[in-house]
Amino acid sequence: MRPHSLSIALALLLTGLTTAGLPSPAAAQSSCGTPGQDATGRGTSGWPVATPADVGLDPQSLCTLAQKLDGAKEDDVHAVLIARHGKLVFERYFIGPDTKWGEPTKDVVFGPDVPHDLRSISKSVVSLLLGIAVGKGWISSIDQPVLALLPDYADLSTPQKQGITLRHLLTMSPGLNWNEQLPFTDLRNSETRMDLSKDPCREVLQQDMIHEPGAVWTYSGGSAGLIACVLQKATGKPLDEFARENLFEPLGITKVEWARYPQTGQPVAASGLRLLPADTLKFGQLVLDKGSWNGKQIVPSDWIEMATAPQINAPGAMFYGFQFWLGRSLVDHRSVDWAAGFGYGGQRLFIVPSLDLTIMVNAGRYGGQDEGGFAAAVLNRYVLPAARP
């Protein structure tokens, strides 16, 4: 989850369509967050639309949420979208300052056609891409040693490093010395060093081992970076091209921006993806539907089950899957489990399988002490209590 702006070393390449015009955030929206619709009755963001009552959500709770959002400019919320049973029921956009992967922008009028940083939700997308590659046979097993899959780095091999597998990268437990807790302007920060390196993959792999692989979870953007290197080696395609062909186009995602390392031209796998909020929400629905989209299997269902199952202990009371966070909420004295993609600045994609519900929150809370607090409140105070099992 990176906040920094290292403009001297990092560039943003826009792929797909560019943002043309900024629609009014209030266009075609009622005070209760009703999604905008086109002439055919379909949502202007491409989703099928339903009323909250149609999908078992309390309309008054969502109206209260809309009023709270309208009065909370200081919380720097940019977009909130909610879908249940595959239909969009709530869609609100706002105006506020933002950044493009660390580069500040003036107040932006957010709307259905305005992309937003995903930051570390990019890691969850990388996990889905690896699942696709495994399903198609380009990678035979996630228990393969990483160094065996990246022969160009054989000179870095040690007995301990030979034990690092793709599974360890997926669960952020390769055992390498890695520290992203320092400010990103500090050149001792591990991710900053990776971003500035002439060879980001080598930068990750050359770190000393401080734990046995699989023993300790340590937050690491280097894990997604190495997975991207493995994917390119295995498929013969850059990460963004592989994503476009095998994930984005099948989901109808065409407006894509991906930050690249200028020294290599490769996409920044850990944090560089920018998408429309409604397109990011599609990943939530894809997970809810066990990797299927419009009747076509995009990601193997067994991968979805593994990716969103507890694989290792994460900070606090949370678990970690395959580049997905796993938590739970207490609603009316009952526990509700969820999976999520977390991104710096308050980007949150919540996926609630037991309720067939997914929520996307984009925000500009970069550098705040409780950057995800408002998104958690949206989930716990308004949406989950509104949902009938």
Side-chain angles (χ1 to χ4, degrees):
M1 306 178 193
R2 57 182 303 109
H4 66 86
S5 73
L6 293 170
S7 59
I8 60 172
L10 297 163
L12 188 70
L13 178 78
L14 308 184
T15 58
L17 301 176
T18 57
T19 302
L22 299 174
S24 165
Q29 293 186 347
S30 78
S31 60
C32 290
T34 302
Q37 298 185 39
D38 60 20
T40 68
R42 195 172 183 85
T44 53
S45 55
W47 279 76
V49 171
T51 68
D54 287 341
V55 296
L57 290 172
D58 175 34
Q60 185 54 52
S61 292
L62 297 192
C63 278
T64 302
L65 169 60
Q67 293 165 7
K68 171 64 176 176
L69 292 168
D70 288 342
K73 181 176 175 58
E74 69 279 2
D75 289 300
D76 294 325
V77 177
H78 296 160
V80 177
L81 289 79
I82 303 167
R84 194 178 194 196
H85 304 325
K87 296 182 178 179
L88 189 66
V89 298
F90 187 96
E91 181 181 30
R92 292 301 296 267
Y93 302 99
F94 303 91
I95 301 172
D98 196 24
T99 70
K100 279 191 173 184
W101 209 64
E103 290 300 315
T105 62
K106 296 180 180 180
D107 276 3
V108 178
V109 182
F110 292 97
D113 297 321
V114 181
H116 201 287
D117 278 15
L118 271 61
R119 298 301 177 102
S120 286
I121 297 177
S122 306
K123 296 177 174 68
S124 302
V125 176
V126 169
S127 171
L128 297 176
L129 293 171
L130 182 56
I132 292 171
V134 171
K136 291 182 179 292
W138 284 311
I139 295 171
S140 61
S141 170
I142 61 172
D143 293 312
Q144 290 179 274
V146 172
L147 281 167
L149 296 167
L150 296 173
D152 293 345
Y153 303 106
D155 59 298
L156 298 175
S157 180
T158 67
Q160 273 191 304
K161 289 182 180 179
Q162 288 172 6
I164 301 173
T165 67
L166 282 171
R167 186 184 298 273
H168 298 137
L169 298 182
L170 286 163
T171 57
M172 290 194 181
S173 61
L176 294 165
N177 186 18
W178 196 265
N179 182 4
E180 293 186 27
Q181 302 307 308
L182 297 166
F184 282 90
T185 53
D186 189 327
L187 295 181
R188 295 173 297 171
N189 183 292
S190 298
E191 189 167 357
T192 298
R193 293 202 311 268
M194 176 181 69
D195 290 345
L196 296 177
S197 172
K198 293 180 180 179
D199 187 339
C201 292
R202 178 171 290 275
E203 176 64 28
V204 180
L205 284 169
Q206 70 184 7
Q207 302 306 309
D208 293 335
M209 295 289 295
I210 58 174
H211 302 291
E212 287 296 317
V216 177
W217 182 94
T218 301
Y219 190 82
S220 167
S223 61
L226 282 180
I227 291 171
C229 294
V230 170
L231 283 170
Q232 178 163 348
K233 188 70 174 179
T235 66
K237 296 181 178 180
L239 183 69
D240 57 333
E241 183 178 342
F242 180 74
R244 177 180 58 80
E245 294 177 356
N246 294 278
L247 183 60
F248 296 159
E249 287 184 352
L251 294 180
I253 296 174
T254 59
K255 182 176 280 191
V256 180
E257 304 177 7
W258 211 322
R260 293 180 181 272
Y261 298 119
Q263 65 272 38
T264 67
Q266 299 303 313
V268 181
S271 60
L273 192 57
R274 283 171 59 86
L275 296 173
L276 302 179
D279 282 343
T280 310
L281 191 70
K282 291 178 180 180
F283 298 128
Q285 192 63 47
L286 183 70
V287 170
L288 288 175
D289 291 338
K290 304 297 183 183
S292 177
W293 185 261
N294 290 336
K296 181 180 179 181
Q297 198 71 36
I298 307 300
V299 182
S301 60
D302 59 346
W303 183 269
I304 297 294
E305 292 176 4
M306 291 189 296
T308 57
Q311 302 288 342
I312 193 169
N313 285 308
M318 299 188 72
F319 298 124
Y320 202 70
F322 289 170
Q323 305 283 305
F324 281 90
W325 295 85
L326 307 174
R328 61 181 179 175
S329 298
L330 189 65
V331 182
D332 295 331
H333 306 288
R334 59 186 174 88
S335 177
V336 179
D337 294 334
W338 43 261
F342 284 4
Y344 177 72
Q347 321 320 316
R348 296 291 187 269
L349 173 64
F350 291 111
I351 304 159
V352 190
S354 65
L355 298 174
D356 196 21
L357 176 74
T358 186
I359 304 162
M360 184 65 217
V361 178
N362 284 128
R365 299 168 64 85
Y366 308 105
Q369 291 185 344
D370 186 20
E371 63 180 67
F374 195 90
V378 170
L379 174 75
N380 294 322
R381 297 182 190 174
Y382 300 99
V383 182
L384 291 183
R388 294 192 297 271

